[in-house]
Amino acid sequence: MTDHDVIIVGAGFGGMGAAITLKKQGFEDLLIIEREDDLGGTWHVNHYPGLAVDIASVTYSYSFEPNPYWKNWFARGPELKAYAEHVADKYDLRRHMEFGISAEGARWDEEAQHWVVTSSPVAGPGQGQPTIRTAKHLMTATGFLSQPRLPDIDGVDTFAGTVIHTAQWDDSVALEGKRIAVIGTGATAVQLIPQIAQLASALTVYQRTPIWVTPKNDFKIPGPVQTLFATQPWTQRVARAANSAWLEGMMVTAVLHYKQAKFLNAGAAALAKAHLRRQVHDPETRRKLTPDYSFGCKRPTFSNDYYPTFNADHVTLETTPIARITPSGIVTSDGQETPVDVLVLATGFNLWDTNFPAFEIIGREGRDLGKSWRQHGYHAFEGVTVPGFPNFISLNSPYSYSGLSYFMTIEVQMRHIERLFSELNKRDAETFEVSETADRAFLDQMLERMDDTVFLQGSCSTARSYYYTNEGDAVLLRPTSSGSARKAVEEFDIDEYAFG
Ligand code: NAP
């Protein structure tokens, strides 16, 4: 006997997608545990000023659950959170969810043929006290960008003013008239900086590596178009297809098929450089904002108001490395100290120390998933399953992420789960485990395809991209087209799984 058929860890769009698929297969005994106090994953956690999608919402949403009423082509953060709530309600997922519960570890019990999952409340009575629950199946949907990274800069913990990481935004902190420093210039900072520049008396942006920024073709979606999307859903499907095709060229083909499509990569870089030229007046600032690595080595972003922010007199782009942080400000390696009231850490997320996986997972014969990935290399069959880990689905796996959109990734994984669990039902089986040979063949295919990518063919050594592991391998993105991923999930041989 187990406590549950399936335990899913994470109530973001990935976990909810997995739950929708399982419910379609007739599984009702699902437990979804979530360490935050509500659902929505990144769209619940993040609420920094300027939060929005940077992939247009017609693409950044479930294809089977279109929202005709997006107010803007690129939805703002609260709309995404509302969309997550709508999905949870429509697919009756809330009753399966427990919030404020952090998964601490999971172990496959070979004798009982189930997973033993340890979790504990993150706050309140019982905080930190472990609860043990069992489930036939375990699914992790803990996100790639979910463990905030604090910079290891000397003195950061001595700063006497206010410190905020973007993923732990404190809405009560007043920014008006403050001297603000932002460390980091990733996609988050690009959204945040124009907003806080409007409030700060002085804003200093500490940039270590510039990011490629292309124009963001954002606009309010007129009421009649929303009505058209609602009454003629095919029109929104056409919009999705057109936008996804454009993104496929720029974010997938130009990056992952770099060898064959260098012209697309060069085109994207030229678009970004022209954008920079148009928007920033000072040539020296433009030079500092120009990346010296190939487009796509690290995640590019889209914005119309990031670059112009640096034209303002009270905004400084600082590229001299930070030497240390003092109680009152930031000292750069040239000895200059800038006084700071509020220090914003837009320093991103730690993927490779505290994620992959997000908590300890022990499979058959005591195999530790995280240790095995770090010691023997990252791999997962079709970015979903790992030999030695029966009845386990890892949604945040190496080679799983499609450069097109997280929803593209999720839907391919949902289809994988659908095929796998319908076979399990058909065979009246209790367990599944992918074969070593299928896993190895998939990895070989990914490594071969990797030869075509900007990661190996371009100039990426200065990019400092989170796509790379600590060992220097770019294992995050699936180096194939979206079409190829969709085809593969329909065609993988189900007999690559052993059912028991
Ligand atoms: P990020 O891309 O990892 O950027 C972190 C920034 O902090 C980088 O500029 C990094 O510099 C800098 N940094 C980190 N440690 C530092 C240190 N010790 N000293 C100086 N600088 C340091 O993180 P992010 O901006 O939060 O974005 C993460 C991802 O979230 C994005 O790539 C995107 O996929 C996603 N995102 C999506 C949206 C959306 O609209 N869909 C919006 C925001 C974010 P280096 O580059 O030199 O390391």
Side-chain angles (χ1 to χ4, degrees):
M1 270 305 281
T2 55
D3 297 323
H4 299 282
D5 281 342
V6 188
I7 292 181
I8 299 173
V9 183
F13 284 118
M16 291 203 292
I20 291 168
T21 308
L22 289 168
K23 283 172 76 96
K24 236 170 86 181
Q25 298 285 316
F27 288 86
E28 276 301 322
D29 184 8
L30 312 177
L31 172 68
I32 306 173
I33 58 175
E34 167 59 61
R35 71 179 177 188
E36 302 299 331
D37 60 1
D38 200 3
L39 59 87
T42 198
W43 300 105
H44 172 62
V45 171
N46 282 288
H47 46 98
Y48 58 80
L51 176 70
V53 275
D54 67 1
I55 300 293
S57 302
V58 285
T59 296
Y60 192 90
S61 48
Y62 297 114
S63 62
F64 58 87
E65 190 54 44
N67 172 16
Y69 300 111
W70 297 118
K71 293 196 192 79
N72 296 283
W73 192 242
F74 292 86
R76 311 304 189 244
E79 267 191 282
L80 263 300
K81 166 77 177 156
Y83 176 69
E85 287 174 356
H86 159 77
V87 170
D89 290 336
K90 175 160 177 186
Y91 293 89
D92 187 23
L93 304 180
R94 275 186 200 271
R95 68 190 170 85
H96 301 286
M97 295 178 180
E98 270 185 25
F99 298 114
I101 304 291
S102 172
E104 310 290 352
R107 183 177 52 77
W108 173 251
D109 182 330
E110 181 68 21
E111 207 180 302
Q113 298 278 289
H114 63 210
W115 283 94
V116 181
V117 180
T118 307
S119 61
S120 66
V122 292
Q127 179 181 4
Q129 282 173 24
T131 303
I132 291 177
R133 287 179 277 208
T134 58
K136 282 187 206 158
H137 303 276
L138 172 67
M139 299 193 179
T140 50
T142 44
F144 295 100
L145 303 163
S146 47
Q147 320 283 14
R149 179 172 56 187
L150 300 175
D152 52 354
I153 300 172
D154 198 19
V156 66
D157 44 358
T158 66
F159 183 66
T162 307
V163 185
I164 325 177
H165 189 283
T166 55
Q168 292 154 346
W169 196 260
D170 180 351
D171 299 300
S172 69
V173 173
L175 300 173
E176 288 82 3
K178 296 283 165 55
R179 295 166 302 179
I180 304 176
V182 176
I183 301 180
T185 52
T188 299
V190 166
Q191 296 188 338
L192 177 80
I193 284 167
Q195 301 298 314
I196 58 176
Q198 295 172 24
L199 305 171
S201 61
L203 172 64
T204 310
V205 175
Y206 291 84
Q207 171 187 279
R208 193 164 62 181
T209 312
I211 182 170
W212 285 106
V213 182
T214 60
K216 187 171 186 176
N217 300 315
D218 198 9
F219 52 87
K220 279 204 178 319
I221 302 181
V225 174
Q226 295 182 19
T227 308
L228 185 69
F229 284 169
T231 55
Q232 305 284 333
W234 66 268
T235 56
Q236 197 174 13
R237 283 198 294 275
V238 170
R240 182 183 180 106
N243 183 63
S244 299
W246 179 80
L247 271 175
E248 181 82 11
M250 183 150 139
M251 301 287 276
V252 181
T253 313
V255 175
L256 301 175
H257 295 133
Y258 178 84
K259 196 171 170 180
Q260 297 81 2
K262 275 201 190 95
F263 66 99
L264 271 183
N265 193 286
L271 186 68
K273 280 186 181 165
H275 190 44
L276 175 61
R277 259 197 316 278
R278 266 195 311 273
Q279 292 201 310
V280 176
H281 307 148
D282 174 42
E284 179 58 10
T285 308
R286 280 205 298 267
R287 188 192 61 75
K288 288 178 177 173
L289 287 166
T290 307
D292 65 352
Y293 56 86
S294 306
F295 182 90
C297 293
K298 77 192 298 172
R299 168 71 157 65
T301 192
F302 310 84
S303 173
N304 297 333
D305 53 7
Y306 175 64
Y307 284 149
T309 307
F310 294 101
N311 295 327
D313 289 340
H314 71 300
V315 179
T316 306
L317 177 66
E318 183 58 75
T319 55
T320 311
I322 298 172
R324 62 182 188 283
I325 294 175
T326 67
S328 57
I330 297 184
V331 180
T332 40
S333 63
D334 54 6
Q336 289 289 323
E337 176 160 9
T338 303
V340 175
D341 303 314
V342 180
L343 174 58
V344 176
L345 304 176
T347 45
F349 301 88
N350 190 336
L351 282 81
W352 305 110
D353 299 305
T354 55
N355 222 341
F356 280 89
F359 56 93
E360 187 181 68
I361 295 175
I362 309 288
R364 214 191 272 292
E365 292 155 14
R367 195 187 302 180
D368 180 317
L369 182 64
K371 281 190 185 148
S372 132
W373 272 344
R374 280 163 186 78
Q375 285 165 9
H376 308 296
Y378 290 84
H379 58 96
F381 176 62
E382 294 288 341
V384 175
T385 48
V386 186
F389 294 82
N391 289 10
F392 173 58
I393 301 280
S394 168
L395 296 185
N396 312 111
S397 284
Y399 305 111
S400 63
Y401 193 85
S402 159
L404 178 60
S405 145
Y406 189 35
F407 279 90
M408 156 73 202
T409 308
I410 294 170
E411 290 195 20
V412 166
Q413 293 181 320
M414 286 172 74
R415 179 68 183 129
H416 196 115
I417 294 170
E418 187 176 34
R419 284 193 62 203
L420 190 53
F421 278 71
S422 61
E423 191 68 17
L424 202 70
N425 278 342
K426 200 168 96 190
R427 297 187 189 208
D428 204 14
E430 295 290 324
T431 60
F432 66 80
E433 183 176 345
V434 72
S435 71
E436 296 269 0
T437 47
D439 179 51
R440 183 70 234 181
F442 178 73
L443 177 62
D444 288 345
Q445 189 198 351
M446 293 300 103
L447 294 176
E448 197 186 318
R449 295 286 186 90
M450 200 52 82
D451 281 344
D452 295 348
T453 67
V454 75
F455 308 122
L456 294 189
Q457 297 285 333
S459 164
C460 287
S461 61
T462 55
R464 286 180 176 269
S465 167
Y466 66 75
Y467 290 165
Y468 291 83
T469 63
N470 294 339
E471 294 74 35
D473 302 314
V475 310
L476 189 64
L477 296 186
R478 179 185 174 113
T480 72
S481 68
S482 304
S484 154
R486 282 201 195 92
K487 190 160 172 273
V489 76
E490 297 301 336
E491 293 183 351
F492 75 80
D493 185 356
I494 199 74
D495 289 325
E496 297 293 6
Y497 281 95
F499 294 92

